[in-house]
Amino acid sequence: MKYGRFSTDGREYLITHVATPSPWINYLYNGRYFATVSGNGGGISYFRSPLHGRVTRYRINDIPPDRPGKYIYVKDVDSGAIWTLTWQPIGRDVEAYRAAHGFGYTRVEAEVEGIASSVLFFVPRDDDAEIWRARLRNESGRLRRLSVFGYVEFALGHALIDLINQCDDQHFNRVRFDPDLNSLFATKTYWVTETRGTQHQENKEWDRWAFFTVNHPVAAFETMRERFIGPYRSEGNPLAVEAGRLSSRETDFGNAVGALQVDLELEPGESKEIVFTLGVIAKTEFEASKAAVVRKYRDPAEVETAFGNVRASWDEYLSFTRAETPDPDVNVFLNGWSPYQAKVAFDVGRVASFYYWGIGRGFGYRDTAQDAIAIVVADPGKARSRIGLLARQMRRDGKVYHHFYGDGQGEFTRHCDDPLWFILAVTEYAKETGDFAVLDREEPFLEGPPGSILNHLFAVVEFARGNTGRHGLPIFGRGDWNDTLDYIGGDDGGESVWGGMFCAAMLDRLAELLEAAGRPEHRDEVVELRDRFRSAVESYGWDGEWYLRAFGENDRRVGSRENAAGKIFLNTQSWAVIAGLPDRSRLVQAMDSVRRHLDSAYGPKICAPAFREIDPKIGLITRCVWGKKENGAVFCHPAAWLIQAECLLGRGDRAFHYYRTLLPNRVDSDIFAAEPYVYSQYITSDEHESPGRASHSWQTGSAAWMYRVAYDYILGIRPAYEGLRIDPVIPASWKRFGAERVFRGTRYFVEVENPGGVESGISSLKVDGRLIESHIVPPSDKPECRVHVVLGRRLS
Ligand code: GLC
């Protein structure tokens, strides 16, 4: 509570004390133009790719960590007082500022020197630009003469080249002021489109103009950072703002910036709106479009309409599921912040935040596949195109790029799990939509002739079949879901027990799809392979009280009670359940072992005890500091699978205990540090000297999984091929809850009562007043449908 809270309706996170322990950010984007912004105005902007289309800079490893950004300076011409409309970068009067992050927008308010201000940041749906709409109101009771300066630092193209070769790269910057358009235009006459730092000099220029404009006459402008900031200074005390007059010189060299000065007067009580627009235009379209976008947002009505459209589109996206549970925190996350984060993670990928700098990684195959499971609820079309994208990263032997850029570039590794995630994306889509035609859609492979999605799925089956070791389990290669178990058994020796469970689970899903799609001819071989993985795990994977994690060289057991470190791993317990292993007593024991050995005040740990000695025959995990990341942290993404597994066992109190512990707003922010409105990749565990600190917020698989697992398995409302399955697994203390879900065009209103205080099981289920003898509500052709559920004795 020290730094902020959710608004009463849960739709905004209000930062009441803006000196947050780390930059608390938001994402503003339309699918082409992307911007991040912190509550203090820090953040980057890029067009399509943070690597190739970087519009503004991020200064990596800088202190403070969120510079530069989207800054508006104000100077009182008479008193000489200077401040910014966000608390940073000038950083005075912290108590005078507050910020709010909403769905697709961020607003910062302040009252400094008798001037009340509010800046709204958002990216319009239709234009490749970002709007900073500032409103200033004179509360001082006397006439005020102010200079207002909007300021950005440009990157202009390839962010990695900009970073590693700036001494040469700055010779290609061009920044021009166009007096007719009252705007600055910046570009680079040299551009590289390769993904890595390279000596190769491509013979071309950046294909965009970046523009920066404002809805008032520009009194003066600046184009070069050296002149705006001045020597031995920073954004916190720029020389040009102190001087009160920009140089109005264009530049062909140096660190390119855009600064626009507007001079205005405010009578007592008077307000003025100053709208800065930063964006890009394709050079090829500049003339034809007459730079219409540059002028567009000078009209306040256009700004209002564009903002209304952004809000409407998020409202629409968030309207597909709704939860009214007895727990207000759960409602805030399930009705807004979890699906919101999941969509941001889907649209952005792990490429842009203050953790991921967007210069070195493409899209991870498995991450990208998993992100699709959340988007499919509200936007199946997007999930379908994601399936196509994933298919195009696959070879005919089923191997896929571990990382890819979507333009044919990518990197193969030897992870044993990557291709299998394709099955997840396809089956979630088919279950949601009932669209089986997707199986016949043709997509290219990385080589050879194209094939249908079904061909791609079978390429994956062949990959799984061909990649097994001595115990019939997947050969570990350079990792499975856990990227840091990368040298299990040395170079080649290891097998993944989790991989065996995962293959079984994915093949089971595929068999179910083939059955539902009326393609039983392929089903048998899939079932047969699934059963082989199940029995390999059952024969070799049990350690007595839980499941092993892996076999190393010479049958060495990893994740066993015989080990001093890494005795027990979370994933092989939860996936034993998810994979449908047959021995319930083992499953219950495995999950109880999780509770006993892995659960902690901050949530369940990914493994324990953490490794404290380097072991080259296990890998990176053992080189990592204990209690962080994969080495024994509370890793939020697999924690979602634990919740799912507890639900599958019908244990609502346990499941909810884990879910609630992991809600991001549960830990004091001075300890947690990361944003309390979104999941982070991990929370430092009690194996480290400073537990509770979260890291890698926003861009994590936890986003999609926490949304879907909580909705599908705790509320228990999830798609099945035959209809909507209802199977709540809740805390016994919940007497009732309500939910809504749109499924195949029908909006279901679900009311659940729990008179007997049970954790799971249904005694009656009525659909529009009629009792049905099944957990599955068949698809309806009506726009709305009412489902009434009484929990109690199991239906069947
Ligand atoms: C990171 C990666 C993800 C991986 C996980 C565990 O979250 O993005 O792909 O599965 O770490 O190593």
Side-chain angles (χ1 to χ4, degrees):
M1 298 300 271
K2 174 170 164 195
Y3 298 94
R5 62 187 154 79
F6 287 109
S7 62
T8 317
D9 65 6
R11 298 180 67 79
E12 287 186 346
Y13 192 86
L14 309 172
I15 305 176
T16 48
H17 183 70
V18 292
T20 52
S22 70
W24 287 4
I25 71 167
N26 197 5
Y27 287 82
L28 322 172
Y29 65 93
N30 58 20
R32 300 175 309 275
Y33 189 95
F34 293 80
T36 58
V37 64
S38 76
N40 291 319
I44 61 158
S45 307
Y46 61 94
F47 176 70
R48 291 200 193 279
S49 151
L51 178 63
H52 301 119
R54 191 69 71 97
V55 179
T56 68
R57 268 203 182 135
Y58 173 53
R59 229 182 329 282
I60 288 173
N61 279 339
D62 198 15
I63 38 174
D66 63 343
R67 291 198 188 165
K70 302 141 200 310
Y71 298 141
I72 303 175
Y73 296 86
V74 181
K75 176 169 188 181
D76 184 312
V77 175
D78 296 307
S79 71
I82 290 171
W83 69 102
T84 33
L85 297 189
T86 48
W87 175 54
Q88 292 292 317
I90 285 196
R92 54 175 284 197
D93 300 0
V94 68
E95 298 303 336
Y97 290 84
R98 3 183 227 288
H101 290 309
F103 306 132
Y105 67 91
T106 289
R107 196 179 57 242
V108 181
E109 291 165 359
E111 182 150 0
V112 181
E113 297 278 339
I115 301 293
S117 64
S118 136
V119 198
L120 173 72
F121 298 96
F122 71 96
V123 167
R125 305 287 312 146
D126 304 324
D127 291 306
D128 300 328
E130 63 191 75
I131 312 276
W132 317 349
R133 184 188 69 188
R135 287 177 166 159
L136 301 185
R137 198 174 62 249
N138 180 357
E139 302 278 348
S140 69
R142 59 180 203 281
L143 174 74
R144 302 295 291 274
R145 299 191 302 142
L146 304 175
S147 290
V148 178
F149 307 84
Y151 175 70
V152 287
E153 181 172 340
F154 289 119
L156 306 174
H158 200 295
L160 179 59
I161 304 284
D162 178 53
L163 182 71
I164 61 181
N165 198 26
Q166 199 273 345
C167 60
D168 293 331
D169 221 37
Q170 60 180 325
H171 297 82
F172 306 93
N173 289 338
R174 306 278 189 269
V175 194
R176 299 277 174 269
F177 183 72
D178 182 324
D180 297 331
L181 288 168
N182 195 51
S183 308
L184 281 172
F185 292 90
T187 193
K188 189 166 267 148
T189 52
Y190 166 59
W191 192 31
V192 170
T193 51
E194 281 191 31
T195 54
R196 55 191 94 213
T198 173
Q199 295 298 310
H200 178 59
Q201 292 165 197
E202 292 178 35
N203 191 11
K204 60 179 168 215
E205 60 189 276
W206 193 32
D207 62 353
R208 309 275 130 180
W209 282 105
F211 68 88
F212 191 41
T213 190
V214 63
N215 66 336
H216 288 258
V218 170
F221 62 87
E222 187 51 85
T223 56
M224 199 194 253
R225 189 178 78 190
E226 290 73 359
R227 287 196 292 261
F228 186 82
I229 301 283
Y232 302 102
R233 288 168 176 258
S234 73
E235 292 94 348
N237 57 352
L239 187 62
V241 175
E242 268 179 34
R245 181 55 64 179
L246 305 182
S247 78
S248 294
R249 283 163 61 193
E250 295 178 336
T251 191
D252 290 323
F253 168 78
N255 290 290
V257 299
L260 297 172
Q261 177 174 353
V262 168
D263 293 333
L264 49 88
E265 289 188 359
L266 283 176
E267 298 288 344
E270 193 189 2
S271 299
K272 279 195 176 141
E273 195 167 286
I274 303 132
V275 183
F276 291 97
T277 313
L278 171 68
V280 292
I281 311 182
K283 286 178 178 163
T284 49
E285 286 161 21
F286 193 89
E287 293 302 328
S289 72
K290 299 202 166 51
V293 61
V294 177
R295 277 180 273 251
K296 183 169 174 185
Y297 296 103
R298 287 179 199 159
D299 177 356
E302 292 282 6
V303 176
E304 212 48 55
T305 308
F307 184 50
N309 291 341
V310 169
R311 299 196 73 163
S313 94
W314 279 110
D315 285 350
E316 149 85 9
Y317 166 75
L318 294 167
S319 71
F320 280 68
T321 55
R322 187 145 192 90
E324 287 306 330
T325 77
D327 189 318
D329 280 351
V330 173
N331 301 341
V332 163
F333 279 95
L334 274 187
N335 294 331
W337 292 88
S338 283
Y340 179 60
Q341 182 187 1
K343 184 165 191 315
V344 170
F346 176 93
D347 287 324
V348 173
R350 313 289 181 269
V351 292
S353 72
F354 288 118
Y355 305 92
Y356 294 118
W357 298 333
I359 52 172
R361 292 165 57 115
F363 298 97
Y365 194 88
R366 79 163 81 84
D367 294 341
T368 307
Q370 289 170 80
D371 290 344
I373 68 168
I375 195 83
V376 71
V377 178
D379 198 342
K382 272 201 167 204
R384 195 177 49 231
S385 26
R386 178 62 55 96
I387 289 170
L389 177 70
L390 292 164
R392 294 193 292 276
Q393 316 309 318
M394 190 184 292
R395 289 197 321 216
R396 292 193 76 86
D397 63 3
K399 294 214 173 80
V400 297
Y401 279 146
H402 182 66
H403 270 117
F404 62 91
Y405 289 83
D407 59 357
Q409 301 186 75
E411 191 182 344
F412 287 108
T413 57
R414 286 168 49 215
H415 287 75
C416 64
D417 66 318
D418 282 338
L420 277 296
W421 292 105
F422 184 64
I423 298 178
L424 178 81
V426 177
T427 52
E428 282 299 304
Y429 168 79
K431 231 185 264 182
E432 183 73 41
T433 58
D435 167 18
F436 299 122
V438 71
L439 295 176
D440 298 315
R441 215 176 89 178
E442 290 268 313
E443 285 290 350
F445 282 98
L446 278 172
E447 23 59 306
S452 65
I453 294 296
L454 196 62
N455 295 148
H456 285 79
L457 287 165
F458 273 90
V460 173
V461 173
E462 288 318 307
F463 169 84
R465 192 196 306 283
N467 187 47
T468 52
R470 278 183 4 91
H471 300 89
L473 296 164
I475 295 173
F476 223 119
R478 290 291 79 82
D480 59 14
W481 172 86
N482 190 324
D483 284 321
T484 63
L485 293 174
D486 53 350
Y487 283 91
I488 290 283
D491 263 350
D492 281 318
E495 283 171 84
S496 170
V497 175
W498 176 81
M501 296 171 172
F502 178 59
C503 285
M506 290 302 124
L507 293 168
D508 189 53
R509 281 172 160 267
L510 180 57
E512 206 192 356
L513 166 64
L514 294 171
E515 186 69 44
R519 312 279 176 105
E521 67 274 17
H522 300 295
R523 188 181 163 273
D524 291 352
E525 58 169 302
V526 174
V527 167
E528 192 263 333
L529 189 58
R530 174 199 71 190
D531 291 346
R532 263 203 265 159
F533 281 114
R534 278 188 184 160
S535 75
V537 171
E538 279 301 72
S539 309
Y540 306 111
W542 183 246
D543 189 54
E545 288 173 67
W546 56 80
Y547 284 93
L548 297 171
R549 183 61 176 84
F551 288 100
E553 80 288 4
N554 304 325
D555 287 354
R556 174 184 173 191
R557 296 148 77 87
V558 179
S560 162
R561 58 189 159 169
E562 71 197 30
N563 305 138
K567 269 180 194 301
I568 171 169
F569 281 74
L570 179 57
N571 267 353
T572 34
Q573 318 321 319
S574 47
W575 279 84
V577 181
I578 296 169
L581 294 187
D583 186 339
R584 187 176 161 97
S585 68
R586 280 187 177 182
L587 301 180
V588 168
Q589 207 182 347
M591 299 302 273
D592 290 348
S593 296
V594 168
R595 181 86 160 113
R596 194 166 326 115
H597 299 284
L598 295 177
D599 198 17
S600 74
Y602 294 106
K605 291 177 263 192
I606 189 171
C607 65
F611 295 91
R612 285 166 193 255
E613 306 279 331
I614 291 175
D615 185 337
K617 298 238 167 137
I618 291 184
L620 195 67
I621 189 171
T622 67
R623 299 177 188 277
C624 174
V625 62
W626 34 96
K628 287 193 179 267
K629 296 227 12 125
E630 286 91 339
N631 193 11
V634 173
F635 218 90
C636 297
H637 177 170
W641 295 325
L642 170 61
I643 296 165
Q644 178 177 350
E646 286 290 9
C647 287
L648 288 168
L649 294 182
R651 306 201 295 185
D653 280 330
R654 283 275 176 91
F656 192 68
H657 156 77
Y658 294 126
Y659 179 70
R660 206 172 147 64
T661 308
L662 285 162
L663 285 176
N665 64 340
R666 305 267 303 139
V667 180
D668 180 344
S669 288
D670 278 325
I671 297 170
F672 197 74
E675 294 92 330
Y677 41 90
V678 289
Y679 288 94
S680 287
Q681 182 197 74
Y682 76 88
I683 302 161
T684 310
S685 80
D686 52 14
E687 295 232 20
H688 190 267
E689 63 186 14
S690 49
R693 189 178 182 89
S695 190
H696 299 50
S697 58
W698 281 98
Q699 300 301 335
T700 154
S702 334
W705 281 105
M706 284 293 186
Y707 169 43
R708 288 303 301 266
V709 164
Y711 202 90
D712 291 27
Y713 291 89
I714 296 180
L715 303 190
I717 303 168
R718 60 180 179 271
Y721 291 108
E722 322 85 274
L724 194 60
R725 187 178 173 89
I726 312 283
D727 197 3
V729 184
I730 57 172
S733 60
W734 285 11
K735 291 291 167 230
R736 58 173 47 81
F737 73 88
E740 287 176 37
R741 198 207 201 270
V742 178
F743 175 63
R744 300 193 199 161
T746 301
R747 179 173 292 272
Y748 293 84
F749 294 87
V750 183
E751 282 296 324
V752 178
E753 287 181 48
N754 185 17
V758 299
E759 294 174 59
S760 61
I762 290 181
S763 71
S764 80
L765 200 162
K766 282 188 193 158
V767 179
D768 285 334
R770 265 185 315 110
L771 217 53
I772 60 167
E773 284 303 314
S774 157
H775 282 269
I776 301 209
V777 181
S780 161
D781 46 19
K782 292 189 287 186
E784 289 185 358
C785 181
R786 295 195 179 262
V787 179
H788 186 259
V789 183
V790 181
L791 301 187
R793 184 176 39 82
R794 273 204 168 272
L795 239 189
S796 59

